[in-house]
């Protein structure tokens, strides 16, 4: 009886402590689902980050809502990839108060950055090109303005999270930023970051094993968003239907890719949930190619700490499934 009474007396105190913890959690805002997932993993036990680009929306075509602006105004910490991906956020972030910490994750130490490729019907790089592409510095890349990449940081591909090693580098930067902004919860952030690091290492090995049986089979994607996955696991992306998802390809481009598919023989052409799936049907018409769906920005997934792992496994599984099918 004394034990029960003690528990009943302690319960309100525990509830109050939990409420205090929640109240003390900083308001953290994230731009896109993959970033949100990494931040949510590190914040577990402290709070839940807000998300700007939710649902099936794409950062390439997103427009700010009034509710997004209100969320940003309350933010103590904001995580985004950078203006090369979420161009719509650049001006709103410039107007935030000076007390907000803004972490641009494309500047995280240790990232592998790959330059944009030269066109939609690109060929796989040879070893020399790969070595040049794995430049970790912000080297200038010439000649890309003609290909639809007119963002401020347009010299490299911003789909950085599609390499788990880059996700680890981003997670380290997220942890450093959260600890600086909220030192009271530093131990929790650091412990969660270690757990996340270990999970990302295990995921990396799992993904390599998943795609290993099909990595030599070429395929075509809707837009060139998969360089990091490609270079990490040695898969063969033979081209993209469009260079930039903001630009719908014309008849000449579609014809060019259709010819490419026919030349390659049996392969796969992957659509994306947010963009025009009928283009894929046109591209594969009259060929032996099959179609599949890849979701690099997690448009169809529910936001949360496990989303990143679901996203990456889904990409690997879709590639293996499509490329393993008999013609």
């Amino acid at each position: 009886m004394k034990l029960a009474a003690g528990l009943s007396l302690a319960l309100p105190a525990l509830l109050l402590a939990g409420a205090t913890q929640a109240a003390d959690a900083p308001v953290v805002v994230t731009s896109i689902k993959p970033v949100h997932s990494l931040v949510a993993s590190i914040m577990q036990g402290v709070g839940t980050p807000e998300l700007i680009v939710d649902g099936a929306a794409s950062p390439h075509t997103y427009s700010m809502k009034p509710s997004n602006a209100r969320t940003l105004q309350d933010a103590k910490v904001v995580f985004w990839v950078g203006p090369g991906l979420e161009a719509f956020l650049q001006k709103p972030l410039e107007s935030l108060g000076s007390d907000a910490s803004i972490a641009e994750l494309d500047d995280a130490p240790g990232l592998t950055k790959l330059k944009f490729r030269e066109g939609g019907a690109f060929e796989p790089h040879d070893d020399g090109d790969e070595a040049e592409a794995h430049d970790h510095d912000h080297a200038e890349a010439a000649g890309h303005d003609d290909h639809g990449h007119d963002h401020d940081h347009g010299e490299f591909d911003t789909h950085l999270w599609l390499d788990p090693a880059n996700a680890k580098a981003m997670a380290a930067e997220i942890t450093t930023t959260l600890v600086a902004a909220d030192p009271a919860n530093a131990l929790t952030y650091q412990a969660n970051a270690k757990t996340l690091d270990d999970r990302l290492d295990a995921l990396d090995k799992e993904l390599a094993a998943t795609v290993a049986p099909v990595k030599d089979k070429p395929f075509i994607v809707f837009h060139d968003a998969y360089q990091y996955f490609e270079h990490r696991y040695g898969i063969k992306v033979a081209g993209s239907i469009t260079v930039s998802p903001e630009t719908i390809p014309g008849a000449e481009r579609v014809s060019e890719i259709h010819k490419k598919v026919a030349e390659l023989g049996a392969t796969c052409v992957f659509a994306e949930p947010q963009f025009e799936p009928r283009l894929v049907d046109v591209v594969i018409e009259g060929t032996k190619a099959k179609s599949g769906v890849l979701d690099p920005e997690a448009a169809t997934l529910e936001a949360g700490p496990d989303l990143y792992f679901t996203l990456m496994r889904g990409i690997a599984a879709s590639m293996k499934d499509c490329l393993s099918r008999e013609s």
Side-chain angles (χ1 to χ4, degrees):
M1 293 296 294
K2 288 183 179 179
L3 180 60
L7 285 173
S8 65
L9 289 172
L11 186 58
L14 290 171
L15 291 173
L16 180 60
T20 302
Q21 182 186 29
D24 290 342
V27 177
V28 177
V29 178
T30 61
S31 58
I32 60 173
K33 287 180 180 178
V35 170
H36 178 272
S37 180
L38 298 175
V39 176
S41 293
I42 296 167
M43 288 188 68
Q44 287 187 101
V46 177
T48 302
E50 301 286 344
L51 174 62
I52 298 290
V53 185
D54 203 354
S58 167
H60 298 287
T61 54
Y62 193 77
S63 296
M64 284 281 288
K65 303 174 184 176
S67 58
N68 298 150
R70 290 192 294 270
T71 298
L72 281 177
Q73 287 301 323
D74 294 334
K76 183 174 182 181
V77 185
V78 180
F79 293 103
W80 66 322
V81 175
L85 183 73
E86 310 100 319
F88 72 92
L89 266 179
Q90 190 166 9
K91 288 184 179 179
L93 289 179
E94 289 172 356
S95 66
L96 280 184
S98 58
D99 57 338
S101 298
I102 301 173
E104 187 174 315
L105 295 177
D106 64 10
D107 285 332
L111 287 175
T112 292
K113 294 183 179 181
L114 304 177
K115 295 176 182 178
F116 279 116
R117 291 187 268 211
E118 288 294 338
F122 51 79
E123 296 288 344
H125 292 291
D126 61 27
D127 291 339
D129 288 334
E130 285 190 27
E132 182 182 355
H134 280 83
D135 181 3
H136 293 211
D137 299 325
H138 288 240
E140 289 188 359
H144 297 301
D145 287 344
D146 294 334
H147 302 294
H149 300 298
D150 56 356
H151 304 307
D152 289 347
H153 291 189
E155 70 269 23
F156 64 88
D157 187 338
T158 52
H159 297 85
L160 297 157
W161 62 88
L162 293 180
D163 179 345
N166 276 351
K168 288 181 66 174
M170 294 166 77
E173 182 70 5
I174 290 165
T175 304
T176 299
T177 303
L178 287 173
V179 167
D182 182 26
N185 288 303
L187 292 179
T188 300
Y189 295 140
Q190 291 163 346
N192 288 342
K194 176 62 171 65
T195 299
L196 177 59
D197 226 37
D198 292 343
R199 290 185 70 195
L200 289 170
D201 284 337
L203 177 70
D204 188 24
K205 294 176 182 177
E206 177 188 334
L207 297 176
T210 299
V211 301
V214 296
K215 69 177 186 178
D216 293 326
K217 296 186 177 183
F219 59 94
I220 285 175
V221 295
F222 180 80
H223 85 290
D224 189 14
Y226 305 92
Q227 279 200 83
Y228 294 98
F229 197 98
E230 173 187 351
H231 282 266
R232 186 71 181 173
Y233 301 113
I235 60 176
K236 289 190 174 181
V237 179
S240 61
I241 294 175
T242 181
V243 181
S244 176
E246 296 98 326
T247 305
I248 299 301
E252 184 177 352
R253 168 74 74 187
V254 172
S255 176
E256 179 184 5
I257 299 298
H258 185 276
K259 181 180 178 182
K260 185 77 172 177
V261 173
E263 289 173 353
L264 287 170
T267 184
C268 287
V269 179
F270 289 98
E272 291 179 22
Q274 313 98 309
F275 302 113
E276 184 53 73
R278 286 175 295 179
L279 286 172
V280 172
D281 296 333
V282 173
V283 164
I284 66 174
E285 185 178 1
T287 74
K288 295 180 179 180
K290 301 165 287 288
S291 64
V293 177
L294 297 176
D295 188 8
E297 292 153 8
T300 61
L301 301 180
E302 184 176 350
D306 289 328
L307 173 140
Y308 181 80
F309 297 87
T310 304
L311 165 67
M312 297 296 283
R313 288 179 178 128
I315 290 173
S318 292
M319 288 180 179
K320 181 179 180 181
D321 176 64
C322 189
L323 292 168
S324 298
R325 290 184 223 156
E326 295 295 331
S327 302

